[in-house]
Amino acid sequence: MKISTFLENKRSKTTKKIIGKTGVALFWVLLWGLAARWVNSPLVLPSPLKTLEGVISLAGDFEFFVSIGVTLLRVFGGVFISVALGLVLGLAGGLNKVFFETMNPFVSTIKSLPVVSVIILINLWIASGLVPLVVTFLICFPVTWTNVVQGVRATDQKLLQMAKLYNVEQTKIIRDIYVPSIKPYAVSALMNAIGLGWKVTVTAEVLANALPSIGMNLYYAKIYLETDLLFSWTLVIVICSLVIEKITLQVIGNSRKGGDQCRLS
């Protein structure tokens, strides 16, 4: 009885959550539709239906999927490299003060530079197709670096003192004390990097004239005053970003459950 009641409550909460989110989405779509009707000019603000028709029209062209695929590779490539290096170098920076002082000026400089400046500079040195990937890495790296360093510094000092008292090996201290402390910061850095990576990649694609790409399709839609296609490509970006974010959260959640089960067994 208790199990069935628990499952029913869980389903009820899930249903309410879905209904709530659907209601919010419908509210904003309705507001968008009313605004489009009030403006009464598809060139200025196309309606939601017109935008959806544009997405369906784009999906009928093979180049649509090529553009999305290439942009996804650039986003994932830049984010993966930035997170991987950020974790390793951030851990080193948190543990070693000299290394932190050496790396910090570089990280601070990248953080303070406008994204446009970074894109233009990188475009002078490498091929346009690689610019979005490199720029995404450079912009996302400081996010991971900073979060991981904070995670290392937030590690419970009592645990570290106890480990030193019992002469625990440094590798075990890193694996069993520092890594669990870093995990929440690393997850936060990953989610921020994914969101930031999409914006930076598409912007870099436009400024670097990287083909094929979502960014250049946005640019062409703007040049030829195809506002409905401009909105359609923007909707595609939002959908892709949300789907990737949900999948990432799901994978992280499953890995946590798997780790908990392993510890219990």
Side-chain angles (χ1 to χ4, degrees), residues 21-174:
K21 288 187 176 182
T22 304
V24 171
L26 288 173
F27 167 77
W28 287 108
V29 170
L30 179 62
L31 196 64
W32 175 9
L34 291 172
R37 189 178 179 84
W38 180 69
V39 172
N40 197 28
S41 174
L43 189 63
V44 177
L45 182 64
S47 67
L49 184 60
K50 190 73 175 174
T51 302
L52 186 60
E53 287 175 356
V55 173
I56 295 169
S57 174
L58 289 170
D61 187 359
F62 179 70
E63 289 297 321
F64 170 77
F65 298 99
V66 173
S67 297
I68 292 176
V70 173
T71 297
L72 280 171
L73 284 174
R74 290 170 178 147
V75 173
F76 278 121
V79 170
F80 176 78
I81 297 169
S82 67
V83 171
L85 278 178
L87 287 171
V88 175
L89 298 181
L91 179 61
L95 294 173
N96 190 297
K97 190 176 181 181
V98 175
F99 185 75
F100 174 81
E101 295 297 337
T102 303
M103 283 292 297
N104 197 46
F106 168 75
V107 174
S108 299
T109 301
I110 295 298
K111 283 170 70 176
S112 61
L113 280 174
V115 176
V116 176
S117 298
V118 177
I119 294 169
I120 293 171
L121 285 171
I122 298 299
N123 199 24
L124 292 173
W125 301 327
I126 62 175
S128 60
L130 292 174
V131 171
L133 187 147
V134 175
V135 172
T136 300
F137 157 69
L138 287 173
I139 299 301
C140 293
F141 173 77
V143 176
T144 310
W145 156 272
T146 304
N147 277 32
V148 173
V149 169
Q150 287 177 349
V152 173
R153 291 177 175 175
T155 304
D156 191 338
Q157 293 300 312
K158 291 180 180 179
L159 286 175
L160 294 174
Q161 289 171 6
M162 185 177 69
K164 288 180 180 179
L165 183 66
Y166 288 98
N167 295 320
V168 179
E169 294 178 9
Q170 186 64 23
T171 53
K172 289 184 178 180
I173 292 174
I174 292 172

Side-chain angles (χ1 to χ4, degrees), residues 1-10:
M1 287 290 291
K2 288 182 179 180
I3 294 173
S4 61
T5 305
F6 172 76
L7 291 173
E8 285 176 7
N9 290 336
K10 192 174 181 180

